[in-house]
Amino acid sequence: MSTDGRKGEIDDADDLVFKALANGTRRRMLDVLKESPRTTGELCAQFPDLDRTTVLQHLRVLERAELVIGRKVGRERHLTLAPVPIKRIHDRWIGDYARAAVSLLDDLARD
């Protein structure tokens, strides 16, 4: 829960991130954007098996989850990976479990 009591808002944001990450195509799009920012056209070219409309639908889901930031530059739209929502998920859901696993491995090594 956040310090200002906005747990519901955080859960809603996390739900959007989990929904976005649940789809393999969207995860591959994030992998492409992790390499470097791309224009919408360049991202579409990375997915020749999908039509432009489908790519844009996936992008809308990623943008709603705030995993991708799009900004207009002239006639082009530049897309950038936004890692903060993934870090938030990691900190909330994975970090504690990873620390516990490391601690358990450390305990096993000492025995």
Side-chain angles (χ1 to χ4, degrees), residues 20-72:
L21 294 175
N23 181 279
T25 298
R26 290 192 286 267
R27 289 192 306 272
R28 288 192 305 276
M29 288 179 172
L30 293 175
D31 287 339
V32 169
L33 293 173
K34 184 172 71 170
E35 294 170 8
S36 67
R38 308 287 168 107
T39 65
T40 305
E42 290 169 338
L43 189 64
C44 288
Q46 293 288 315
F47 297 88
D49 53 323
L50 301 177
D51 61 52
R52 184 177 177 84
T53 302
T54 302
V55 171
L56 294 176
Q57 288 172 342
H58 284 297
L59 275 174
R60 274 194 290 281
V61 173
L62 292 169
E63 286 177 322
R64 234 178 282 129
E66 297 179 350
L67 290 164
V68 171
I69 298 168
R71 66 182 173 82
K72 198 94 159 123

Side-chain angles (χ1 to χ4, degrees), residues 4 6 12 20 22 26 43 71 91 109:
D4 62 358
R6 295 180 305 150
D12 291 345
R26 290 192 286 267
L43 189 64
R71 66 182 173 82
D91 291 349

